[in-house]
């Protein structure tokens, strides 16, 4: 059996000197070989048609399948999973297994979604976050979209000729959103472990002023770092956006996966909607949906919440982009959005996922992989590999070695949102990181961590030879 593990030794023998650039690294050249991932400095596009790069998770799953992975294979542990487990969780409501359809649902739905679902979303936000506000959301403040990426794409399609700010590391799909549409200029700001990857209001105020930002897009809770902006800081962000005439686009898909409070407060969720004064004047746009918080990623029913004029624009964009969300599943989603149902779901989600988070953090430390900035939200861990021996101190190398142990992680470079594709991969601030998801069931987490431990053991032993 030991002979099966010699791949760690083989890699060590091949590394005759410190790898200094992506040109000397086989995993990095493999990534560059995929359509759309070539270095734009080295290879110009031909005949006016370009191949967009694969999002990080798509590339990861393609590589996993090349190594024998198939969905449902019990031998594999998928820590690259960007979705929560969808099966039964103690205390959570069981998901629908059948849907009664009316003849009307066979028709196209409006590109902004059916009125009944839009109203249910508005009522949910008003009940959870706006009971003390005079200004309330109505269906006219809600646009239903076929998935989170569709929501981001509709917003991007409507952005004017302005500077758009975003923060690194960030959700991988932002790269495509920020590169496909050419009217605006994307400007990154890098966050680091010393500040716990935190976006504070002072930083946003400075970025708006110094860089002339007209719009900022950010995930909150943060993917992949698992950090969170909440309470007074969210309130201050709304004030800054109002005063500086800069629009905030907040990706809130993990708003129920919150662990920053005591367990007695389980069920508490976070949204910037709580701090909006006037729903039609404050320049705040929210994107969320059934994908994460309701654990229904396959339904592709999500929403954009914002001022009426923004929703009208989103409706127009949907008419030429993707046409709108699935009509029958919009109907099926309505009863799920009862505020009491949502609060109960959030309560037991937090109990369940907090326990999984704590287990994974403990096992990683036992393995020798210390997490310097533990997550307080989401179901992701941003793992710094710099303490590992070379070459598995580099995210892409660690990923390739994990595949040989039948474990999937996501290399950190995919969260270095780099729309121009000009930065050398070895220069990425995310070069020495991977993202691990504790979204899968506990038994899959246990199996995957055991496999990583085996791999680390053989790696460290052979690298010392």
């Amino acid at each position: 059996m030991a002979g099966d593990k010699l791949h760690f030794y083989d890699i060590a023998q091949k590394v005759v000197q410190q790898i200094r650039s992506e040109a000397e690294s086989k995993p990095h050249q493999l990534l560059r070989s995929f359509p759309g991932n070539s270095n734009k400095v080295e290879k110009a596009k031909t005949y006016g048609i370009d191949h967009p790069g694969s999002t990080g998770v798509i590339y990861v799953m393609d590589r996993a399948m090349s190594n024998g992975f198939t969905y449902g294979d019990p031998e594999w542990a998928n820590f690259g999973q960007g979705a929560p487990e969808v099966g039964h969780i103690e205390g959570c409501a069981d998901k629908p297994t059948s849907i009664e359809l009316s003849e009307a649902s066979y028709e196209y739905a409006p590109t902004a979604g059916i009125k009944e679902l839009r109203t249910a979303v508005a009522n949910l936000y008003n009940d959870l976050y706006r009971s003390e506000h005079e200004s309330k959301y109505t269906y006219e403040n809600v646009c239903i979209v076929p998935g989170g990426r569709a929501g981001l794409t509709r917003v991007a399609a409507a952005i004017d000729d302005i500077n758009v700010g975003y923060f690194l590391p960030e959700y991988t799909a932002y790269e495509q959103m920020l590169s496909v549409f050419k009217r605006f200029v994307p400007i990154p700001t890098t966050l680091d472990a010393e500040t716990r990857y935190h976006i504070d209001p002072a930083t946003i105020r400075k970025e708006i002023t110094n860089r002339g930002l007209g719009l900022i897009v950010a995930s909150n809770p943060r993917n992949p770092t698992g950090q969170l902006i909440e309470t007074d800081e969210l309130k201050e962000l709304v004030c800054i956006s109002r005063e500086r005439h800069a629009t905030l686009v907040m990706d809130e898909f993990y708003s129920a996966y919150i662990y920053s409070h005591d367990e007695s407060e389980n069920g508490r969720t976070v949204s910037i909607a709580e701090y909006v004064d006037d729903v039609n004047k404050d320049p705040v746009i929210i994107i969320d949906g059934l994908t994460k918080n309701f654990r229904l990623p396959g339904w592709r029913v999500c929403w954009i919440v914002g001022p009426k004029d923004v929703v009208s624009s989103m409706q127009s964009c949907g008419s030429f982009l993707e046409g709108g969300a699935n009509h029958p599943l919009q109907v099926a989603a309505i009863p799920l959005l009862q505020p009491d149902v949502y609060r109960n779901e959030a309560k037991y989600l937090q109990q369940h996922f907090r326990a999984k988070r704590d287990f994974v953090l403990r096992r990683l430390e036992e393995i020798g992989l210390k997490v310097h900035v533990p997550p307080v939200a989401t179901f992701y861990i941003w793992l710094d590999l710099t303490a590992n021996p070379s070459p598995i101190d580099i995210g892409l190398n660690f990923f390739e070695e994990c595949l040989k142990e039948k474990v999937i992680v996501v290399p950190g470079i995919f969260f270095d949102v780099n729309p121009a594709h000009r930065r050398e991969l070895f220069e990425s601030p995310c070069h020495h990181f991977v993202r691990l998801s504790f979204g899968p069931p506990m038994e899959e987490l246990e199996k995957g961590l055991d496999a990583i431990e085996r791999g680390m053991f053989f790696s460290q032993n052979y690298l010392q030879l």
Side-chain angles (χ1 to χ4, degrees):
M1 292 296 290
D4 295 337
K5 305 298 181 181
L6 285 177
H7 52 80
F8 285 103
Y9 176 72
D10 294 337
I11 282 192
Q13 292 298 302
K14 290 177 183 177
V15 182
V16 295
Q17 61 181 18
Q18 179 68 33
I19 295 175
R20 299 182 183 278
S21 75
E22 62 181 68
E24 299 169 295
S25 169
K26 184 176 179 180
H28 291 76
Q29 287 304 299
L30 185 61
L31 170 61
R32 287 298 198 193
S33 73
F34 269 58
N37 290 341
S38 61
N39 191 322
K40 297 297 188 290
V41 174
E42 298 174 356
K43 183 179 179 181
K45 58 186 180 181
T46 305
Y47 302 117
I49 302 296
D50 199 6
H51 192 305
S54 302
T55 60
V57 174
I58 299 301
Y59 175 81
V60 162
M61 298 315 296
D62 282 349
R63 288 293 303 133
M65 289 177 183
S66 297
N67 281 264
F69 171 79
T70 57
Y71 286 96
D73 186 338
E75 294 187 6
W76 281 77
N78 184 3
F79 288 10
Q81 183 172 319
E85 57 182 291
V86 298
H88 177 74
I89 290 177
E90 190 66 33
C92 291
D94 289 327
K95 301 297 183 288
T97 56
S98 61
I99 302 170
E100 186 173 339
L101 301 177
S102 66
E103 187 172 334
S105 70
Y106 301 156
E107 302 284 355
Y108 287 125
T111 55
I114 60 173
K115 183 178 179 180
E116 295 84 355
L117 180 56
R118 296 167 70 189
T119 299
V121 172
N123 290 343
L124 177 66
Y125 278 79
N126 291 335
D127 190 285
L128 293 176
Y129 306 116
R130 304 197 57 77
S131 60
E132 298 180 4
H133 290 271
E134 182 178 346
S135 176
K136 307 286 189 187
Y137 290 116
T138 72
Y139 78 94
E140 293 179 287
N141 298 106
V142 179
C143 181
I144 307 301
V145 291
R149 289 179 180 86
L152 288 167
T153 303
R154 288 200 193 189
V155 170
I159 295 175
D160 208 345
D161 301 311
I162 58 172
N163 291 344
V164 174
Y166 64 98
F167 297 88
L168 299 177
E170 186 55 277
Y171 171 46
T172 63
Y174 283 22
E175 181 159 308
Q176 280 67 34
M177 181 197 81
L178 293 169
S179 61
V180 169
F181 300 96
K182 307 299 184 183
R183 294 177 65 188
F184 55 84
V185 179
I187 300 177
T189 299
T190 301
L191 306 173
D192 54 42
E194 285 70 28
T195 60
R196 303 185 70 81
Y197 305 104
H198 185 60
I199 303 174
D200 66 275
T203 298
I204 289 203
R205 187 184 297 275
K206 182 176 73 173
E207 293 298 294
I208 290 173
T209 301
N210 294 351
R211 297 173 182 259
L213 302 182
L215 182 146
I216 292 174
V217 57
S219 58
N220 188 54
R222 303 282 299 149
N223 176 5
T225 61
Q227 302 310 301
L228 177 66
I229 316 167
E230 55 182 333
T231 59
D232 290 345
E233 288 193 322
L234 273 182
K235 184 176 183 179
E236 190 173 351
L237 290 187
V238 176
C239 292
I240 292 170
S241 70
R242 187 189 306 122
E243 294 166 3
R244 299 300 176 94
H245 307 289
T247 298
L248 296 178
V249 179
M250 304 300 285
D251 168 351
E252 296 189 342
F253 274 88
Y254 303 91
S255 55
Y257 294 85
I258 309 295
Y259 324 112
S260 60
H261 53 255
D262 185 82
E263 291 189 63
S264 62
E265 297 181 63
N266 279 353
R268 182 182 73 94
T269 56
V270 172
S271 175
I272 200 169
E274 184 173 353
Y275 304 101
V276 169
D277 284 347
D278 189 313
V279 300
N280 289 311
K281 293 182 178 179
D282 286 345
V284 175
I285 301 170
I286 299 164
I287 307 176
D288 201 347
L290 300 183
T291 306
K292 314 295 197 226
N293 297 329
F294 295 83
R295 298 186 299 120
L296 289 169
W299 282 29
R300 296 288 188 188
V301 175
C302 299
W303 51 78
I304 301 170
V305 175
K308 289 181 183 179
D309 65 305
V310 170
V311 169
S312 177
S313 176
M314 298 300 97
Q315 180 173 1
S316 296
C317 290
S319 67
F320 66 79
L321 285 171
E322 80 305 295
N326 179 291
H327 195 159
L329 291 178
Q330 289 190 59
V331 175
I334 295 170
L336 302 178
L337 297 180
Q338 294 297 319
D340 289 344
V341 172
Y342 181 69
R343 286 189 182 91
N344 184 77
E345 197 78 6
K347 175 182 178 180
Y348 288 100
L349 273 183
Q350 289 166 13
Q351 177 179 301
H352 184 76
F353 277 80
R354 186 194 292 258
K356 292 200 296 180
R357 179 201 64 168
D358 293 348
F359 168 76
V360 173
L361 290 173
R362 184 172 63 253
R363 282 289 288 122
L364 286 172
E365 187 157 7
E366 291 170 356
I367 293 167
L369 295 169
K370 173 72 174 175
V371 178
H372 301 297
V373 185
V376 295
T378 74
F379 42 80
Y380 300 123
I381 291 171
W382 187 236
L383 181 60
D384 186 348
L385 302 171
T386 51
N388 283 1
S390 179
I392 58 169
D393 60 335
I394 294 172
L396 203 57
N397 294 339
F398 187 88
F399 158 70
E400 289 289 344
E401 294 310 304
C402 282
L403 290 181
K404 294 169 185 176
E405 299 294 333
K406 298 188 175 181
V407 178
I408 305 170
V409 299
V410 182
I413 56 171
F414 290 117
F415 302 94
D416 176 8
V417 176
N418 179 20
H421 286 225
R422 293 186 177 275
R423 186 159 50 244
E424 227 265 5
L425 294 176
F426 268 53
E427 296 173 357
S428 169
C430 305
H431 182 51
H432 292 282
F433 289 83
V434 291
R435 188 194 74 177
L436 278 71
S437 168
F438 52 94
M442 181 65 88
E443 56 270 21
E444 189 169 341
L445 300 178
E446 293 171 345
K447 175 174 54 185
L449 289 162
D450 288 345
I452 290 175
E453 184 173 34
R454 288 195 305 272
M456 290 293 294
F457 170 78
F458 281 100
S459 171
Q460 292 175 14
N461 274 341
Y462 283 117
L463 287 169
Q464 290 169 7
L465 293 179

